[in-house]
Structure formats: C-alpha cells, structure tokens
Amino acid sequence: MKRMAMLFALIVSGIIFSNCEGPEGPPGPTVYPYVTDIKLNFDGDLNANIASQLVKHDVKLYLGDVVLIFVMEDTDNKGNPIWSPLPQRYFVYDNATQQDEELEYIYNYGVNDFEIIARATAPLGIFNGNGSHPGFLKNMIFRIIYVPGADPVQKFNSTNSGNSEIHPLSYDEVVAKYNLQNISVVKKY
C-alpha cells in the first residue's frame, strides 16, 4: 500500500509541477550574426568641417553586443568589394593651402542606433570630388556587422619589440572569426 501511495503522490506532483508557469523571461537574443549595407551622403554642408549620420539599428542590440563598421574602398578586378574598418582616413591635396588635408570617418554606437561621422581638417567641400580624386562624401557604402558581445579586437605579438599591440580586425578576419561566409547581406540601398 505504501508503494501505491508513493507512486500516486509522484504522478500527482508531476502533473501539478508540469502545469506551473513562472514569469516570462527576457526576450530572446537577436539572431546573430546580422550584416547590412547602407549608402550614405555627407555633403549637406560643404563649408563645415564635420558631418554625421545617425542610423537606427535594424536589430535589437543588447549591452555587450558589438557593432563593427567597414567602408567600401573600391572593388577588385573581379568586382568584389574591398572593405576597410573604421576609422578610415582619406587625404586630398588642397591647392589653396598648398598642403594635404585629412578626412576621417569614425563611428560610435549605443543600444538604439549608431552614428558615422566624417570629420576633416578643412571644409568638407575639398573632399567632394574633382578631377584629381573621386570624392569621399557621396554614395559612401558602409557594411555594418552585428556580433554577440565578443571582443572585436585581437592582440598580435609585435615581432620587433616583443610587446603586444592592439589591431582592429580586417573585414576578412571578421568574416572568418564570426563565420560570416554564408550570411546574406541586407542591402539598404
């Protein structure tokens, strides 16, 4: 009889606990990795030395997640894009000042959006393109890569000094590290 009572108690407790529900947990994580391309223009005020674009994230970003941004520099002889990580600098010779002027693209991000900033040592109009250079302000294509909160910086041992130095990953290194070879890119242009 004791065995029957224990078996009955076990069955009843199993039924009771299987129907219990607790409070709903946090929302599920963003599906990573997520990769998107956007095309931006920074030629609104060519007399200014700085311009920026604020862009809302396409995905839910959580604290600790990482946003990596690359700019398309050119294409190779097969038409494949060549990506450079931000920050990225461009130099243009200014005839008026008789010196090279610098344009740098940088970025920052938070949980809601990211901002790409073009800042220059001279008015942006110098970087708008002319016969000597194609321009670095219009139709700039940026690739945004969202990855879980892993550190996007690798340390490399310097062969000269034996010290380690911080080096941002190249686009190809990011693709290999986060297994992005077969990820479809969401085009926003």
Side-chain angles (χ1 to χ4, degrees):
M1 193 68 175
K2 284 185 178 180
R3 287 186 183 178
M4 288 280 281
M6 287 180 70
L7 182 61
F8 179 72
L10 184 61
I11 292 172
V12 169
S13 64
I15 291 171
I16 290 172
F17 288 119
S18 68
N19 289 329
C20 290
E21 289 187 30
E24 188 174 321
T30 301
V31 177
Y32 285 114
Y34 180 80
V35 181
T36 185
D37 288 353
I38 59 172
K39 186 183 290 188
L40 298 174
N41 293 309
F42 294 85
D43 60 345
D45 181 1
L46 296 177
N47 292 319
N49 288 39
I50 191 166
S52 67
Q53 298 279 341
L54 191 64
V55 181
K56 293 243 180 245
H57 294 303
D58 287 350
V59 295
K60 174 79 174 146
L61 198 70
Y62 296 94
L63 291 176
D65 292 344
V66 176
V67 177
L68 302 172
I69 301 182
F70 297 81
V71 62
M72 190 169 92
E73 291 286 332
D74 204 349
T75 56
D76 64 15
N77 57 3
K78 294 180 181 177
N80 298 315
I82 298 170
W83 299 101
S84 293
L86 296 190
Q88 182 61 34
R89 294 181 178 155
Y90 300 95
F91 296 91
V92 171
Y93 185 77
D94 182 10
N95 290 326
T97 62
Q98 300 291 307
Q99 63 184 14
D100 283 335
E101 299 293 350
E102 177 184 342
L103 170 70
E104 180 180 41
Y105 279 104
I106 61 171
Y107 74 103
N108 59 57
Y109 66 92
V111 294
N112 297 314
D113 49 36
F114 62 89
E115 180 180 33
I116 299 177
I117 303 161
R119 61 183 180 189
T121 57
L124 292 173
I126 294 170
F127 305 94
N128 201 30
N130 59 29
S132 64
H133 66 87
F136 304 107
L137 299 175
K138 295 179 189 172
N139 300 318
M140 299 297 291
I141 297 175
F142 296 93
R143 175 156 287 176
I144 295 85
I145 300 177
Y146 296 90
V147 293
D151 186 358
V153 175
Q154 290 183 344
K155 291 184 178 181
F156 294 95
N157 287 332
S158 173
T159 55
N160 296 336
S161 64
N163 297 330
S164 64
E165 59 185 56
I166 302 296
H167 173 70
L169 298 175
S170 72
Y171 179 74
D172 292 330
E173 290 168 328
V174 169
V175 167
K177 180 175 181 174
Y178 296 109
N179 196 24
L180 302 174
Q181 293 84 354
N182 298 321
I183 299 298
S184 58
V185 177
V186 178
K187 303 281 186 183
K188 305 292 265 186
Y189 58 92

